[in-house]
Amino acid sequence: MSVLVTNLGELTTNDPELGTVRDAAIVLDGDRVAWVGHAKRAPQADSRVDGQGRAGLPGWVDSHTHLVFAGDRTAEFGARMAGEPYTAGGIAVTVEATRAADDEQLRAGLRKHVAEAVAQGTTCVETKTGYGLTVEDEVRSARLAAEFADEVTYLGAHLVPSGTDPDAYVDLAAGEMLDRVAPYVQWADVFCETGAFDEAQSRRVLKAAAARGLGLRVHGNQLGPGPGVRLAVELGAASVDHCTHLAQSDVDALAGSDTVATLLPACDLSTRQPLPEARRLLDAGATIALATNCNPGSSYTSSMAYCIATAVLQMRLSVPEAVRAATLGGAQALRRTDVGVLRPGARADLHLLDAPSATHLAYRPGVPLTWAVWRSGAPARPPRG
C-alpha cells in the first residue's frame, strides 16, 4: 500500500540534488520512498495524509545507545549533580543488575526504550552489548538486542570486570567471547580510555573483530586526551564516539578520513564534561553525527531533539547542520545509505513535526514537536489530530 504525504511546508531530504523542498510531498510505497518533489506534481497513491504546512525530515538515526540493561543509577546521577566527578565506575553497578535480570526483563527494557525513541522520531537505532562481560551474558545481550535494534554492536571491551586480570580479560574479549557473539552483531567497539582499555588492548580487540568481518567503532577521547581517535582512524573505524577532548592532530586525522566523529552532548551535560567542539570539527572538514548515548548511568535520554537543541544553542551548529548530523551523519556512522535521507529507493523513514520548519527544534527547545512517524513505511506514530 502506498501513501502520499502532501502539503508539507518544508521537506529536508539530505539528498544533494533534491535539497530542502518547499511546498513538498513524498510517496511511501511499502518500506521504500517512491517519489519526492513539489506537492503540485505528486502522483496518486492508495492513501493520503495532509501535512497542513508542517515540516518533514528523515527519521533520526541514533547511532550510539546502550539499551540492554537492568537496574537504576539515579543515586549516582544525584551524587554527580552534587559535585562528585564522573569516572565511569558506575558501569559495574549496571553489569551486576543486568546479569541478575532474566531475558523478559531485558526484553521489556529494550521494548520500552526503543518505543520511546520511535515516538520521538527515531527510526534507526544502534545499540550495544557491554553490560554482561561474561561470554554467556554478552551473547544473551547481543541476541536480545538483535530483536529490537537495526544495528547491534559488540562491546565486550567496555570495562574489565572487578577481580579479573586485565590481560586474561582481553584474551577473552578478543577470543571466545567475540567468536560467540559475532553471529548476532554487525560491529565491535572498545572503550579506549584511562580506567578501561589502553591503546594496545584496544587495538588487539578491534583487529580481532575486523578479522572476523565486523565493522569497527571506538569510544574515545571522552574523559581526557588519548589515543582513541588516532586508533579509530588508523584502523578505518566507521565512527569514533564522544570526541570530547581533541588535540589538533585528532581533528586533522578525522578531517582527512571517512571516520565519523559521533558527538554525544547529552552525556557531556549529564557528566558535567565540556561539550565537544562541533564547530571546529565541521570547519576542519570532518563528518559529525549526533547521538543520544542513551544508557542508565551517564546519559539517560532517548531524545534526539534534545541533542539537536543542545548542538545548536551551545555547540554553535546551525539547525540544518545539527539535523543533518542527527540523520545523515548517523547513517554515515553506521555506513548505511538507505536511512537518514529521503529520496526514491531509501527506506521509508519519515518524521513530521508539528511546526512549519525544522528550526523549531532549537527555537522551541524541550517542546514535544513530533506529529507523525513512519518507520520502514509503517505508521509508527500515526498523525495526531
Side-chain angles (χ1 to χ4, degrees), residues 14 58 61 288 323-333 336 339-341 343:
N14 288 334
V61 180
I288 66 169
V323 168
R324 184 182 180 87
T327 51
L328 186 62
Q332 291 171 311
R336 293 185 64 148
V339 296
V341 64
R343 59 176 172 234

Side-chain angles (χ1 to χ4, degrees), residues 8-385:
L8 299 174
E10 169 189 286
L11 181 64
T12 300
T13 72
N14 288 334
D15 180 85
E17 294 184 9
L18 292 166
T20 297
V21 185
R22 313 289 174 182
D23 301 318
I26 183 169
V27 175
L28 313 179
D29 192 355
D31 66 350
R32 297 289 141 179
V33 174
W35 181 91
V36 178
H38 291 282
K40 290 182 180 178
R41 297 197 292 272
Q44 295 297 311
D46 297 316
S47 62
R48 182 179 185 274
V49 172
D50 187 347
Q52 300 176 336
R54 293 179 172 88
L57 61 157
W60 306 131
V61 180
D62 194 349
S63 61
H64 184 128
T65 76
H66 302 253
L67 301 182
V68 190
F69 70 87
D72 180 87
R73 284 160 68 183
T74 305
E76 176 192 327
F77 175 80
R80 199 160 63 240
M81 294 304 100
E84 292 188 15
Y86 175 70
T87 62
I91 292 170
V93 175
T94 300
V95 169
E96 182 179 2
T98 302
R99 288 176 178 176
D102 63 30
D103 284 12
E104 286 311 309
Q105 288 174 302
L106 295 179
R107 271 198 190 93
L110 277 158
R111 186 178 295 110
K112 169 189 172 182
H113 291 105
V114 170
E116 179 182 272
V118 171
Q120 300 172 84
T122 298
T123 53
C124 184
V125 180
E126 180 270 2
T127 202
K128 307 177 193 300
T129 70
Y131 292 133
L133 307 188
T134 67
V135 173
E136 295 304 326
D137 285 303
E138 284 294 294
V139 169
R140 178 173 72 139
S141 294
R143 173 174 52 81
L144 295 174
E147 296 178 14
F148 295 90
D150 298 86
E151 303 275 338
V152 182
T153 299
Y154 164 61
L155 185 58
H158 198 185
L159 198 71
V160 177
S162 178
T164 304
D165 176 75
D167 290 333
Y169 187 73
V170 172
D171 288 343
L172 184 68
E176 180 189 358
M177 184 183 287
L178 172 60
D179 290 337
R180 292 278 303 280
V181 170
Y184 301 99
V185 304
Q186 294 79 43
W187 302 93
D189 199 343
V190 61
F191 191 12
C192 182
E193 199 79 48
T194 300
F197 296 85
D198 64 23
E199 181 177 356
Q201 293 167 332
S202 299
R203 177 181 277 105
R204 185 175 170 205
V205 173
L206 292 169
K207 291 186 79 170
R212 287 159 176 78
L214 298 182
L216 304 182
R217 325 187 70 71
V218 176
H219 280 58
N221 300 67
Q222 177 188 3
L223 304 178
V229 167
R230 175 170 46 80
L231 182 61
V233 171
E234 174 194 328
L235 297 182
S239 178
V240 55
D241 301 23
H242 286 290
C243 297
T244 310
H245 299 273
L246 298 181
Q248 185 59 46
S249 59
D250 297 320
V251 175
D252 294 342
L254 287 165
S257 75
D258 62 357
T259 297
V260 175
T262 298
L263 311 182
L264 311 171
C267 178
D268 296 308
L269 291 173
S270 178
T271 57
R272 291 188 168 164
Q273 293 279 312
L275 287 165
E277 295 184 88
R279 181 80 269 147
R280 181 182 174 200
L281 284 163
L282 273 188
D283 288 348
T287 300
I288 66 169
L290 288 171
T292 65
N293 191 25
C294 184
N295 75 83
S298 63
S299 186
Y300 198 14
T301 181
S302 56
S303 174
M304 290 288 281
Y306 173 55
C307 297
I308 287 169
T310 300
V312 173
L313 297 174
Q314 298 190 55
M315 294 162 64
R316 298 178 56 215
L317 294 188
S318 68
V319 173
E321 287 170 338
V323 168
R324 184 182 180 87
T327 51
L328 186 62
Q332 291 171 311
L334 295 171
R335 294 201 169 153
R336 293 185 64 148
T337 59
D338 62 328
V339 296
V341 64
L342 293 172
R343 59 176 172 234
R347 200 168 86 172
D349 289 355
L350 176 64
H351 180 196
L352 298 190
L353 304 177
D354 196 7
S357 74
T359 300
H360 283 239
L361 290 161
Y363 181 47
R364 304 192 69 207
V367 176
L369 293 178
T370 297
W371 186 72
V373 181
W374 286 262
R375 187 183 189 195
S376 293
R381 178 168 179 167
R384 288 191 265 153

